């Protein structure tokens, strides 16, 4: 809102006005969040008409068209798709326009997921800028800044995309003028916050173009154009005019540039250059029509990103860990809320909940999750007050969706209206710790899951029952967090997209929950631990034996019981000490990680408590700076689960769940958890791109800054392995991760920084983050074959843990007779095989026609304004989780019968296959095919085999998007 006031609203208002004044003028716009705020709150009817006209003339062009320009390193593909779909839905509904080019100029490094994402959305070309400085220099010299990128090894040429990397000048106009000490080309100056200057005089307004300096200005511009032309293969040069926060006074911008453009074109013979205003599509159209043959780039990404030897942008992989965690919880809650609401609308047409209001509740969270994907959002590279805005919007959206889900349960169960429902999602201890309550647990995944949910209770004397009155396995123990409550772990087995209700009752002797008994071990002084004699004790379940050493209270080894393979396994917390004084050398900040030296161990003493019960053992380790310290800054809670007979506990048994407590840190410390094993990994690390695909990370030695330049983002998964055994890490928020030694993997969990770099101070961009963070990581250790079958479902099971809602019923509800309890047709679960993921099941509410000609017609006639949201169109996406050749069974293509998959929601009448964001019918989508040595013929891509009678085949790594229509109830 502050940016809207200071400059952003003026960008659209003045640019539209200026474009109307000159037919030659053009402009590109990216982020829909700002444009939509302007459209809804500022634009007049006349301006809206002008926007329609300019879009039709191709003089105003939306590129990318998502809500924001998303970060590429620390975002999940689900959230990238969400924010892109959110923007595209608005643009198509409002203007019938569908962006086909990208302008990803500002994210800090480039992921290989992005080219695939944009290809699936129907784009013809992709444009990036921020890649390693030394890599860019080499590509520039050899004219290799343009290539055809096959971002996905499995989809390869089917979803390849022509990619343009901007040269060393990047996306801002070079402003140096050889004939003046004032800057050039930024005639409107720089935006001021919080208010525009009263007199209209902005700081750093460039030297105006006059008769006296016109020739000199033209020479400067032409010299720069020619310098850049030498780095590209065609005669067209993309010369970006603008930068951050520009064009808030478009009149002074265009009037100066018009003079320059005209002058150069009048003297083109002398200059050897002609200049024209262009959009991104004008540029790519010109390059495409040259019909050259381009090199292919494989699926290697451009991460990490360094701007000079001591500037590795690897700090933001961890900055503001709390925001990163909340952003992911919000995304996960939205995922659950969407499918829950979709089922409600389909199965309960007579339901009492107002659908329009419900859609608004979902939209508030769609908007919040979309906006935080910005490259200065979830990255943690914003000032504290902007971070607070993101947090507030996320919390408000989450509150809305929890409220919606609770009211749906209430409506379905027709409970007495005075029974209180309060809903709590993953927030420990926020349910009333009463012993007479029920919990409703919803599984948002399209697989059967068996897992534990944790509820706080006020007494250990409890029993848990399902709706039929059968006793449910549970374990209760002293709380990790509070003296006055207990943690109750309930074993739940729930089928896909279904919920179950459990009652928690005061004790009756027959069926009480198991009680976890606690043993506290003496705090151990690590500096004096006897290295010779080890006092080892095991903690065991069906899959692992974890051995601890009582001499140190540290983990010692893990044995995978199926193969009887033992791996030495130790974990320690360390801190990198970093510099905050620019006079003393390179600094760490929100973006950069610049360690002074190797990481330093933080604790000299470790306390240990083991809580064991029939269902779970929890090992609590507390790390103290010395033997007498009162408080700890670091703790690890490790949980190992035992699954009773009759439950499918494969994933539950194979995961070693760790929760960490880190903070508050001292200033200029970066906290890592280092896990050391005796696996001979040759320092190879594998990390994911956006939870979509894995990248192989070879350790590289550099002259400077080797530690920081070998940090990579882990969004959802990473692993190390030797010839036989793999250690997999699964995460519920992004972290920086690295392998700084053979058999080692370290995860950066938290950062607290302060520095005196003027730029950081101006924008309040120091990271004085005194919070305590509580991330969770699941470890899976085993053969490659075993970890292969578990890591995809495991990563999603961690991401989409069941949603827990609490309720207290007034009075006891009579139980239904047994025969009515059986599943009615309404309760058919939605179940996919383990290599397919139900990526989206939602009711978007868009009012556009899926027939393009019809949609364009209705916009021209101004029809689309008044209508209500469309609740009949269901958006469905299915993603194949495996790469071709990755697994002998799970990598096979899968045939899905959509009618049968969705029969629990009603009878499927029609299915349309669409582009990723829904705006194209795949049968009419023809993307440009760029010539490569592999495919010398230039042709259009036509995408897909059409599905007959609702049967679709999903190939490795495909993401298929459908509109589904059901028979009216």
């Amino acid at each position: 809102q502050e940016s809207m006031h200071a400059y952003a609203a003026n960008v659209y208002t003045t640019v539209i006005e200026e474009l109307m004044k000159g037919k030659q003028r053009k402009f590109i716009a990216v982020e829909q969040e700002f444009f939509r705020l302007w459209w809804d709150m500022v634009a007049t009817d006349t301006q809206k008409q002008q926007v329609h006209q300019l879009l039709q003339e191709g003089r105003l062009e939306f590129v990318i068209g998502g809500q924001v320009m998303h970060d590429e390193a620390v975002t999940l593909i689900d959230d990238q798709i969400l924010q892109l779909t959110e923007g595209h839905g608005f643009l198509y509904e409002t203007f019938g326009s569908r962006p086909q080019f990208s302008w990803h100029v500002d994210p800090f490094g480039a992921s290989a997921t992005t080219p695939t994402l944009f290809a699936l959305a129907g784009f013809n070309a992709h444009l990036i800028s921020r890649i390693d400085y030394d890599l860019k220099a080499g590509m520039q010299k050899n004219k290799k800044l343009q290539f055809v990128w096959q971002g996905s090894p499995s989809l390869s040429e089917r979803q390849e995309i022509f990619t343009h990397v901007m040269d060393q000048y990047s996306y801002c106009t070079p402003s140096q003028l050889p004939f003046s000490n004032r800057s050039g080309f930024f005639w409107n100056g720089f935006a001021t916050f919080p208010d525009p200057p009263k007199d209209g005089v902005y700081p750093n307004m460039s030297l105006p173009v006059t008769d006296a300096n016109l020739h000199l200005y033209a020479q400067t511009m032409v010299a720069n154009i020619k310098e850049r032309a030498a780095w590209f293969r065609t005669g067209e040069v993309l010369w970006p005019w603008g930068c951050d926060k520009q064009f808030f006074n478009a009149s002074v911008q265009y009037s100066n540039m018009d003079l320059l453009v005209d002058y150069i074109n009048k003297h083109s013979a002398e200059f050897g250059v002609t200049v024209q205003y262009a959009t991104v599509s004008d540029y790519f159209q010109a390059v495409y029509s040259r019909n050259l043959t381009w090199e292919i780039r494989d699926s290697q990404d451009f991460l990490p990103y360094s701007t000079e030897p001591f500037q590795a942008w690897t700090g933001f992989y961890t900055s503001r860990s709390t925001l990163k965690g909340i952003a992911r919880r919000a995304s996960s809650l939205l995922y659950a809320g969407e499918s829950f609401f979709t089922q409600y609308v389909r199965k309960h047409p007579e339901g009492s909940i107002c659908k329009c209001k419900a859609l608004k509740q979902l939209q508030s969270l769609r908007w919040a999750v979309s906006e935080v994907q910005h490259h200065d959002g979830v990255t943690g590279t914003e000032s504290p007050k902007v971070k607070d805005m993101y947090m507030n919007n996320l919390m408000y959206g989450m509150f809305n969706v929890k409220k919606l889900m609770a009211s749906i349960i209430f409506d379905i169960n027709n409970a007495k209206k005075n029974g209180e429902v309060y809903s709590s999602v993953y927030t420990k201890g926020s349910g009333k710790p009463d012993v007479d309550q029920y919990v409703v647990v919803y599984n948002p995944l399209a697989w059967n899951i068996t897992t534990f949910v944790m509820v706080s209770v006020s007494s250990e004397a409890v029993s848990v029952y399902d709706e039929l009155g059968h006793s449910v396995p549970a374990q209760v123990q002293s709380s990790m967090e509070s003296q006055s409550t207990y943690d109750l772990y309930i074993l739940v087995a729930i089928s896909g997209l279904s919920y179950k209700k459990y009652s928690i009752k005061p004790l009756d002797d027959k069926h009480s929950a198991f009680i976890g008994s606690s043993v506290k071990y003496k705090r151990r002084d690590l500096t004096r631990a006897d290295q010779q004699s080890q006092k080892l004790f095991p903690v065991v379940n069906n899959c692992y034996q974890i051995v601890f050493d009582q001499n140190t209270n540290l983990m010692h080894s893990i044995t995978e019981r199926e193969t009887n393979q033992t791996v030495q396994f130790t974990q320690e917390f360390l801190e990198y000490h970093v510099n905050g004084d620019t006079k003393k050398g390179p600094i760490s900040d929100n973006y950069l990680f610049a360690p002074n030296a190797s990481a330093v161990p933080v604790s000299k003493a470790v306390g240990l408590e083991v809580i064991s019960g029939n269902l779970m053992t929890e090992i609590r380790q507390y790390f103290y700076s010395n033997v007498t310290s009162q408080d700890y800054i670091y703790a690890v809670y490790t949980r190992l689960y035992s699954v009773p007979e009759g439950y499918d506990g494969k994933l539950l048994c194979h995961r070693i769940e760790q929760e960490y407590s880190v903070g508050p840190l001292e200033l200029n410390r970066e906290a890592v958890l280092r896990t050391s094993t005796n696996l001979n990994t040759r320092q190879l690390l594998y990390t994911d791109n956006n939870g979509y695909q894995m990248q192989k990370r070879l350790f590289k030695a550099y002259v400077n800054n080797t530690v920081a330049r070998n940090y990579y983002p882990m969004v959802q998964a990473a692993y190390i392995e030797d010839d036989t055994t793999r250690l997999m890490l699964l995460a519920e928020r992004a972290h920086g991760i690295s392998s700084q030694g053979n058999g080692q993997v370290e995860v950066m969990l938290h950062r607290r920084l302060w520095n005196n770099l003027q730029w950081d101070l101006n924008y309040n961009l120091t990271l004085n983050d005194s919070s305590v963070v509580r991330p969770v990581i699941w470890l899976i250790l085993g053969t490659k074959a075993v970890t292969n079958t578990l890591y995809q479902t495991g990563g999603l099971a961690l991401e989409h843990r069941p949603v827990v809602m609490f309720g207290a019923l007034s009075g006891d509800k009579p139980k239904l007779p047994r025969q009515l309890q059986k599943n009615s047709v309404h309760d058919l679960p939605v179940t996919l095989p383990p290599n397919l993921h139900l990526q989206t099941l939602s009711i978007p509410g868009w009012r556009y026609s899926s027939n393009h000609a019809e949609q364009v017609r209705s916009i021209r006639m101004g029809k689309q304004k008044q209508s209500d949201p469309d609740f009949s169109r269901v958006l469905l996406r299915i993603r194949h989780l495996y790469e071709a050749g990755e697994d002998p069974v799970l990598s096979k293509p899968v045939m899905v019968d959509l009618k049968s998959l969705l029969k629990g929601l009603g009878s499927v009448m029609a299915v349309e296959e669409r582009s990723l964001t829904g705006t194209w019918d795949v049968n009419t989508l023809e993307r440009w095919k760029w010539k490569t040595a592999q495919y010398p013929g230039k042709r259009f891509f036509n995408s897909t085999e059409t599905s007959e009678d609702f049967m679709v085949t999903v190939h490795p790594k495909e993401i298929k998007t459908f509109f589904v229509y059901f028979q009216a109830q």
Side-chain angles (χ1 to χ4, degrees):
Q1 292 291 354
E2 201 171 280
S3 292
M4 284 297 285
H5 171 69
Y7 79 94
N10 291 335
V11 173
Y12 288 109
T13 302
T14 66
V15 164
I16 299 306
E17 186 184 346
E18 290 307 308
L19 290 178
M20 295 308 289
K21 289 181 185 168
K23 281 281 184 219
Q24 78 287 7
R25 295 172 172 180
K26 298 192 176 185
F27 194 77
I28 63 163
V30 176
E31 299 184 311
Q32 290 309 301
E33 176 141 337
F34 281 121
F35 178 77
R36 287 171 80 169
L37 286 169
W38 177 79
W39 184 258
D40 290 338
M41 305 192 176
V42 180
T44 63
D45 285 349
T46 307
Q47 286 165 334
K48 289 184 175 184
Q49 271 319 112
Q50 290 170 337
V51 170
H52 278 281
Q53 182 189 331
L54 291 165
L55 285 168
Q56 273 166 34
E57 292 173 5
R59 298 201 294 115
L60 173 64
E61 178 171 280
F62 288 115
V63 285
I64 309 181
Q67 278 295 92
V68 295
M69 187 188 295
H70 69 255
D71 168 68
E72 299 197 34
V74 299
T75 48
L76 262 186
I77 187 166
D78 313 58
D79 299 329
Q80 297 176 354
I81 293 171
L82 172 80
Q83 74 84 22
L84 198 59
T85 304
E86 182 64 29
H88 282 191
F90 164 76
L91 284 176
Y92 194 54
E93 184 174 89
T94 314
F95 305 111
S97 90
R98 304 182 279 198
Q100 288 195 275
F101 299 94
S102 103
W103 183 258
H104 244 221
V105 295
D106 211 16
F108 321 132
S111 159
T113 307
T114 317
T116 305
L117 181 84
F118 288 157
L120 289 167
F123 287 15
N124 289 319
H126 175 38
L127 184 148
I128 61 177
S129 182
R130 291 183 182 266
I131 64 170
D132 253 343
Y133 69 98
D134 40 6
L135 191 60
K136 183 181 275 198
M139 291 166 75
Q140 193 168 276
K141 198 169 110 217
N142 298 314
K143 296 194 179 190
K144 298 205 166 181
L145 290 169
Q146 294 172 317
F147 46 85
V148 169
W149 196 354
Q150 297 183 349
S152 160
S154 298
L155 301 174
S156 65
E157 78 282 350
R158 285 180 302 143
Q159 300 300 343
E160 69 190 17
I161 192 165
F162 181 80
T163 303
H164 171 102
V165 183
M166 293 187 126
D167 59 47
Q168 69 188 44
Y169 291 104
S170 193
Y171 65 91
C172 292
T173 323
S175 60
Q176 244 129 10
L177 298 177
F179 55 90
S180 164
N181 55 9
R182 279 174 71 182
S183 69
F185 303 100
F186 296 99
W187 294 284
N188 58 196
F190 287 89
T192 60
F193 284 79
D195 298 305
K198 296 271 181 286
D199 58 3
V201 176
Y202 285 83
N204 291 12
M205 291 172 79
S206 288
L207 191 65
V209 177
T210 61
D211 287 348
N213 65 22
L214 182 54
H215 187 72
L216 297 169
Y217 244 123
Q219 276 180 322
T220 305
M221 186 170 169
V222 167
N224 183 261
I225 290 169
K226 286 183 165 170
E227 182 187 3
R228 294 162 102 149
W231 300 329
F232 292 94
R233 291 178 58 200
T234 75
E236 294 77 32
V237 176
L238 186 153
W239 200 77
W241 171 40
C243 194
D244 299 1
K245 307 183 182 69
Q246 282 296 313
F247 284 91
F248 49 85
N249 179 353
S251 145
V252 59
Q253 292 280 77
Y254 279 108
S255 56
N256 279 281
M257 189 56 103
D258 281 352
L259 294 169
L260 262 171
V261 168
D262 290 346
Y263 183 80
I264 293 173
N265 288 341
K266 278 203 183 79
H267 300 88
S268 61
E270 170 193 341
F271 286 125
V273 166
T274 59
V275 185
Q276 67 177 70
Y277 289 112
T279 61
V280 183
S281 83
D282 292 336
Y283 172 71
F284 280 124
Q285 185 76 60
V287 176
Y288 182 62
S289 61
R290 294 277 180 158
N291 206 10
L292 299 181
T293 300
W294 299 97
E295 277 187 17
I296 290 173
R297 180 182 177 86
D298 66 10
S299 57
Q300 189 59 49
D301 64 7
F302 291 98
L303 290 164
Y305 161 61
S306 288
T307 36
E308 51 187 73
F310 283 103
Q311 291 189 346
W313 295 51
T314 56
F316 80 91
Y317 302 159
T318 307
S319 296
R320 301 205 191 284
S321 180
T322 303
L323 174 64
K324 285 175 163 64
I326 294 281
R328 287 274 280 273
R329 296 280 58 79
S331 158
S332 169
L333 177 64
L334 176 62
Y335 174 77
E338 295 279 14
S339 65
F340 205 60
F341 176 64
T342 302
Q343 293 186 83
Y344 175 74
V345 170
R346 294 296 324 138
K347 296 176 186 178
H348 301 276
E350 303 304 304
S352 67
I353 290 172
C354 165
K355 293 196 299 235
C356 287
K357 183 184 169 200
L359 191 61
K360 284 206 166 67
Q361 289 173 305
L362 286 165
Q363 279 168 337
S364 70
L365 190 53
R366 288 176 192 169
W367 188 292
V369 173
S370 292
E371 79 179 1
V372 80
Q373 307 310 318
H374 187 279
H375 57 274
D376 283 314
V378 68
T379 50
T381 54
E382 64 284 273
S383 69
K385 68 175 179 186
V386 179
K387 178 260 299 177
D388 292 341
M389 176 206 75
Y390 285 124
M391 288 288 257
N392 292 340
N393 290 352
L394 289 165
M395 299 308 268
Y396 171 71
M398 287 170 84
F399 173 75
N400 280 333
V401 171
K402 288 175 194 173
K403 214 160 64 174
L404 172 62
M405 292 180 78
S407 49
I408 286 175
I409 295 230
F410 228 73
D411 196 59
I412 291 173
N413 287 309
N414 247 325
K416 294 196 189 76
K417 291 291 179 248
N418 59 354
E420 193 186 342
V421 160
Y422 37 95
S423 115
S424 157
V425 182
Y426 312 140
T427 42
K428 302 232 156 132
S430 54
K432 281 194 183 162
D434 287 347
V435 173
D436 201 352
Q437 58 172 332
Y438 68 86
V439 289
V440 175
V441 184
Y442 175 61
N443 166 26
L445 291 164
W447 302 312
N448 301 340
I449 58 152
T450 302
T451 189
F452 281 93
V453 296
M454 203 284 284
V455 178
S456 287
V457 289
S458 53
S459 146
E460 0 181 78
V462 292
S463 304
V464 181
Y465 299 95
D466 64 15
E467 284 188 89
L468 297 179
H470 298 147
S471 168
V472 174
Q475 179 171 320
V476 66
Q477 57 201 41
S478 66
S479 165
M480 272 189 329
E481 308 223 308
S482 94
Q483 303 300 309
S484 59
T485 62
Y486 296 87
D487 293 344
L488 173 65
Y489 285 83
I490 305 170
L491 182 65
V492 299
I494 308 177
S495 47
L497 268 64
S498 305
Y499 70 89
K500 280 191 177 171
K501 203 156 114 187
Y502 300 90
S503 7
I504 301 170
K505 302 246 179 259
L507 188 58
D508 65 37
D509 302 332
K510 302 191 297 295
H511 302 301
S512 58
F514 298 117
I515 293 184
S517 57
S518 158
V519 178
K520 287 194 167 82
Y521 292 83
K522 201 172 141 212
R523 194 186 294 187
R524 292 295 178 182
D525 183 343
L526 296 181
T527 56
R528 310 182 55 179
D530 183 344
Q531 298 305 321
Q532 271 58 52
S533 74
Q534 295 178 318
K535 287 168 68 183
L536 303 178
F537 71 92
V539 174
V540 184
N541 73 355
N542 286 341
C543 297
Y544 302 111
Q545 169 176 289
I546 304 181
V547 174
F548 287 81
D549 181 356
Q550 253 176 272
N551 267 341
T552 58
N553 287 342
L554 294 173
M555 209 182 277
H556 169 271
S557 64
I558 302 180
T559 303
E560 204 275 313
R561 294 182 61 187
E562 200 178 340
T563 57
N564 212 16
Q565 176 93 14
T566 299
V567 176
Q568 284 165 18
F569 199 97
T570 56
Q571 292 185 308
E572 60 177 338
F573 288 106
L574 302 101
E575 286 175 349
Y576 287 100
H577 292 207
V578 296
N579 167 45
D581 184 355
T582 50
K583 294 189 195 66
K584 291 187 180 155
I587 55 147
S588 267
D589 65 7
N590 299 50
Y591 310 91
L592 309 175
F593 172 40
N596 280 348
S598 302
V600 182
V602 290
S603 55
K604 301 234 165 45
V606 182
L608 177 69
E609 181 183 2
V610 177
I611 297 182
S612 39
N614 295 38
L615 299 177
M616 173 180 79
T617 306
E618 181 171 81
I619 301 104
R620 302 175 178 176
Q621 291 165 292
Y622 303 96
F623 294 76
Y624 298 91
S625 52
N626 60 54
V627 164
T628 54
S629 308
Q630 288 300 297
D631 296 321
Y632 57 88
I633 294 181
Y634 294 90
V636 183
Y637 307 93
T638 304
R639 301 184 193 103
L640 201 59
Y641 297 103
S642 300
V643 188
E645 286 293 305
Y647 284 87
D648 168 21
K650 195 173 173 200
L651 178 60
L652 197 49
C653 172
H654 273 96
R655 75 179 191 234
I656 299 166
E657 187 174 301
Q658 290 200 313
E659 183 172 345
Y660 312 101
S661 174
V662 181
L665 301 177
E666 289 174 43
L667 261 183
N668 289 333
R669 299 285 189 270
E670 318 220 7
V672 301
L673 175 80
R674 183 177 290 166
T675 300
S676 304
T677 70
N678 61 342
L679 298 175
N680 178 22
T681 62
R682 300 184 295 285
Q683 244 179 304
L684 248 183
L685 172 68
Y686 294 81
T687 70
D688 67 329
N689 272 166
N690 316 105
Y692 179 66
Q693 62 192 39
M694 300 303 290
Q695 291 276 348
K696 184 176 179 173
R697 310 298 193 184
L698 296 150
F699 189 86
K700 301 188 183 98
Y702 295 95
V703 179
N704 299 308
N705 219 15
T706 291
V707 170
R709 287 188 80 172
N710 279 284
Y711 255 80
Y712 295 93
M714 164 174 66
V715 180
Q716 199 167 49
Y719 62 87
I720 55 172
E721 64 184 14
D722 64 10
D723 298 337
T724 56
T725 307
R726 178 181 290 172
L727 169 66
M728 194 91 207
L729 289 79
L730 301 173
E732 40 75 76
R733 69 187 70 179
H735 300 278
I737 188 167
S738 185
S739 176
Q740 297 284 340
N742 190 24
Q744 278 185 4
V745 60
E746 64 180 56
V747 180
M748 191 182 286
L749 297 174
H750 202 11
R751 324 176 69 215
R752 184 178 183 185
L753 309 168
W754 191 88
N755 68 72
N756 58 9
L757 182 70
Q758 203 48 53
W759 197 86
D760 284 345
L761 295 175
N762 291 349
Y763 290 98
N764 195 4
L765 267 184
T766 53
L767 193 64
N768 192 355
D769 181 350
S770 57
S771 63
V772 176
V773 296
R774 301 293 295 262
V776 172
I777 287 180
W778 289 359
L779 306 172
I780 301 175
L781 182 73
T783 61
K784 293 177 189 183
V786 167
T787 54
N788 237 358
T789 57
L790 293 175
Y791 85 97
Q792 292 284 10
T793 44
L796 286 156
L798 172 56
E799 186 65 30
H800 298 298
R801 286 166 287 184
V803 177
V804 179
M805 288 166 279
F806 296 91
L809 274 179
S810 45
D812 224 40
K813 226 179 131 194
K815 290 206 172 67
L816 294 173
R818 281 285 158 90
Q819 69 274 19
L820 289 179
Q821 291 281 350
K822 292 217 170 61
N823 274 354
S824 70
V825 77
H826 277 322
D827 297 321
L828 289 172
V830 176
T831 313
L832 284 167
N835 49 356
L836 294 188
H837 169 47
L838 185 78
Q839 171 118 15
T840 311
L841 181 68
S842 74
I843 294 178
W846 300 313
R847 298 178 294 245
Y848 62 69
S849 164
S850 55
N851 174 317
H852 185 62
E854 211 169 282
Q855 172 61 6
V856 171
R857 206 163 39 244
S858 81
I859 286 170
R860 296 245 159 103
M861 293 164 73
K863 267 191 198 148
Q864 83 307 346
K865 292 195 183 102
Q866 319 74 345
S867 55
D868 281 337
D870 177 0
F871 291 97
S872 68
R873 170 173 21 209
V874 170
L875 175 67
L876 168 73
R877 287 193 191 96
I878 298 175
R879 162 154 62 113
H880 197 303
L881 294 171
Y882 284 82
E883 297 285 359
E886 184 182 354
D887 185 274
V889 178
L890 296 167
S891 290
K892 294 195 163 117
V894 187
M895 277 190 82
V896 182
D897 179 344
L898 296 181
K899 207 176 172 86
S900 151
L901 175 72
L902 300 172
K903 63 177 181 284
L905 277 73
S907 173
V908 173
M909 286 280 292
V911 173
E912 301 166 353
E913 188 173 347
R914 307 291 292 185
S915 61
L916 184 67
T917 59
T919 53
W920 293 86
D921 173 343
V922 290
N923 299 308
T924 62
L925 174 60
E926 293 192 334
R927 293 198 307 120
W928 297 353
K929 173 70 183 133
W930 298 71
K931 246 168 51 171
T932 59
Q934 188 183 351
Y935 292 97
K938 179 169 148 184
R939 55 192 166 80
F940 283 110
F941 270 123
N942 208 318
S943 55
T944 176
E945 68 246 47
T946 48
S947 55
E948 286 309 306
D949 50 317
F950 309 116
M951 294 299 290
V952 296
T953 303
V954 190
H955 293 276
K957 281 294 163 194
E958 274 189 337
I959 301 174
K960 288 200 166 273
T961 304
F962 304 96
F963 289 165
V964 183
Y965 303 91
F966 293 86
Q967 231 164 354
Q969 295 119 312

